[in-house]
């Protein structure tokens, strides 16, 4: 991490500035932000930025392989497999922990990946508010690939809206405005004009979908999908109450739900590189490692860290009834490199890619970062700490 920028930030930090930041972020929102925003952004060195880009390129090269769909067919549950899948994901998110290697060098290590959107709207506003609250100079940017704010929003609109009218494209989730990410939904609507529609608000006629605005019915041509099927799987009767979106429908998915499974933990055993932890499908592990303390067990079909076994024992492995649905992954040890007033903080950085129709490959566009003092990055491990939560990384332009 960039030491001089960190020193200057910490010397000039005040609780009043942080409170002003939160007040400014919440201004004009229908509801306050439902997750914790960290006191500080991250400041990256050029060297670490370069390593992140290299790590991302290694992973993207696998997703670009002509046989990638064939490799990942088993990733898709038949219960949630949807027809009319397109050729590529419109969004890719790569999560890296900030770690140290065997030589003590600070390096990124892949934690997880998703063929699913993240906070593509909120991060723009978050960066602007950090910049204003803490007087971050214009030679620091949160964007990659030569983008700045206006060109980034244009790329986001190209990916989500494409050639449609924004009113023909809906941002859709179950109970959309009650989600913790509702702030991102609101800001996406502000930036690109797409309405927010809940799953339960969809109407169907033949194979077409509609939503209503002030009683007027409007046809949906594209769905900017924010629905994760795990969130509705607990209700076996869900599609008796709402439109069954698993049907062949005359809509384009941005991105198609099948990509949520294809680009996921399932992909990790196919990846190689200096910044990829050794990962195997559990049913393909011939010899259980003697140093299990250096591994974690992860279920393939869960999200938000659910079901992960951190302190793995031989007994844990032997008790897994469906080893083909688990991975054994080399443990990634975060290095607490961000210096807060009361000590070191661990960092995770998410690279966010946009891949509009017609583009040859995805564009690395913006980032998201999370700070942690707990055993893991998630909210439930950090609820009693400050200088933790959602943030963003600034880099020299």
């Amino acid at each position: 991490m960039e030491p001089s920028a960190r020193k200057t930030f910490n010397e000039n930090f005040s609780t009043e500035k942080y409170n002003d930041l939160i007040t400014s972020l919440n201004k004009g929102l229908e509801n306050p932000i439902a997750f914790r925003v960290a006191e500080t952004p991250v400041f990256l060195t050029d060297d670490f930025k370069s390593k992140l880009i290299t790590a991302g390129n290694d992973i993207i090269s696998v997703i670009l392989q002509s046989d990638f769909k064939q490799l990942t067919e088993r990733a898709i549950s038949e219960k949630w497999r949807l027809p009319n899948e397109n050729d590529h994901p419109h969004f890719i998110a790569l999560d890296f922990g900030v770690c140290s290697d065997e030589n003590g060098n600070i390096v990124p290590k892949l934690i997880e990946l998703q063929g699913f959107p993240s906070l593509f709207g909120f991060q723009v506003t978050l960066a602007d508010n950090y910049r204003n609250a803490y007087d971050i100079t214009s030679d620091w940017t949160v964007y990659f690939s030569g983008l700045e704010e206006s060109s980034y929003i244009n790329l986001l609109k190209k990916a989500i809206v494409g050639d449609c009218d924004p009113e023909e494209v809906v941002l859709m989730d179950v109970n959309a405005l009650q989600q913790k990410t509702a702030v991102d939904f609101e800001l996406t609507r502000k930036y690109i004009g797409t309405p927010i529609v809940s799953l339960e608000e969809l109407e169907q006629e033949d194979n077409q979908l509609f939503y209503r605005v002030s009683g007027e019915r409007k046809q949906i041509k594209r769905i900017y999908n924010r629905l994760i099927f795990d969130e509705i799987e607990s209700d076996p009767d869900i599609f008796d109450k709402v439109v069954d979106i698993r049907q062949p429908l005359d809509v384009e998915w941005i991105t198609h739900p099948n990509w949520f499974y294809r680009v996921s933990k399932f992909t990790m055993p196919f990846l190689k590189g200096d910044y990829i932890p050794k990962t195997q499908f559990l049913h393909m592990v011939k010899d259980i490692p003697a140093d299990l303390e250096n591994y974690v067990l992860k279920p393939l079909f869960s999200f938000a860290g659910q079901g992960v076994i951190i302190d793995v024992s031989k007994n844990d492995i032997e008790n897994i009834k469906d080893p083909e649905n688990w991975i054994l992954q080399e443990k990634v040890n975060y290095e607490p490199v961000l210096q807060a007033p009361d000590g070191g903080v661990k960092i995770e950085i998410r690279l966010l890619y946009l891949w509009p129709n017609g583009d040859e490959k995805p564009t690395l566009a913006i980032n998201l970062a999370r700070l942690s003092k707990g055993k893991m990055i998630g909210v439930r491990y950090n609820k009693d700490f400050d200088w933790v939560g959602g943030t963003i990384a600034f880099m020299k332009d």
Side-chain angles (χ1 to χ4, degrees), residues 47-107:
D47 176 66
F48 195 83
K49 173 186 174 182
S50 178
K51 289 174 180 174
L52 279 172
I53 293 171
T54 297
N57 288 341
D58 289 344
I59 296 163
I60 296 299
S61 68
V62 174
I63 297 172
L64 289 172
Q65 288 178 188
S66 59
D67 64 344
F68 184 74
K69 277 194 173 184
Q70 181 181 345
L71 289 174
T72 56
E73 274 298 291
R74 190 173 69 83
I76 307 169
S77 162
E78 289 307 313
K79 179 179 179 180
W80 301 117
R81 184 187 292 269
L82 269 65
N84 303 323
E85 182 182 335
N86 63 324
D87 292 334
H88 63 79
H90 296 86
F91 315 98
I92 298 172
L94 307 179
D95 289 345
F96 294 92
V98 178
C99 307
S100 59
D101 64 15
E102 60 275 10
N103 298 315
N105 300 310
I106 302 302
V107 296

Side-chain angles (χ1 to χ4, degrees), residues 332-393:
V332 170
N333 294 310
Y334 293 76
E335 190 73 24
V337 295
L338 190 149
Q339 292 303 310
D342 59 349
V345 181
K346 291 175 279 189
I347 307 171
E348 192 169 283
I349 296 174
R350 178 175 295 175
L351 299 183
L352 298 177
Y353 296 76
L354 290 166
W355 196 348
N357 288 345
D359 285 12
E360 184 178 339
K361 61 183 180 179
T363 296
L364 175 55
I366 198 170
N367 76 87
L368 177 155
R370 294 190 291 175
L371 305 184
S372 172
K373 295 178 180 177
K375 191 170 185 178
M376 291 180 69
I377 291 287
V379 172
R380 62 183 177 272
Y381 300 98
N382 287 278
K383 61 183 179 179
D384 298 322
F385 300 119
D386 57 8
W387 286 66
V388 298
T391 183
I392 198 164

Side-chain angles (χ1 to χ4, degrees), residues 4 72 125 151 154 168 192 212 219 236 281 293 303 312 348 356 360 384:
S4 62
T72 56
T125 293
S151 56
N154 287 339
E168 298 172 330
I192 66 174
R212 291 185 182 271
Q219 186 180 350
F281 293 113
E293 68 275 9
F303 70 108
V312 185
E348 192 169 283
E360 184 178 339
D384 298 322

Side-chain angles (χ1 to χ4, degrees), residues 59 62-63 68 71-72 75 110 113-115 259-272 276 279 281 300 327:
I59 296 163
V62 174
I63 297 172
F68 184 74
L71 289 174
T72 56
L110 182 67
L113 63 167
Q114 299 173 316
W259 286 104
F260 175 79
Y261 300 101
R262 292 190 186 279
V263 182
S264 67
K265 291 189 289 289
F266 191 93
T267 314
M268 292 192 68
F270 303 110
L271 303 176
K272 300 290 183 290
I276 312 296
T279 306
F281 293 113
L300 287 173
I327 53 174

Side-chain angles (χ1 to χ4, degrees), residues 69 81-87 90 207 245-259:
K69 277 194 173 184
R81 184 187 292 269
L82 269 65
N84 303 323
E85 182 182 335
N86 63 324
D87 292 334
H90 296 86
N207 66 342
I245 54 176
R246 301 170 298 177
Q247 304 172 70
L249 297 166
D250 185 20
V251 296
E252 182 180 7
W253 292 91
I254 310 296
T255 193
H256 194 284
N258 291 358
W259 286 104

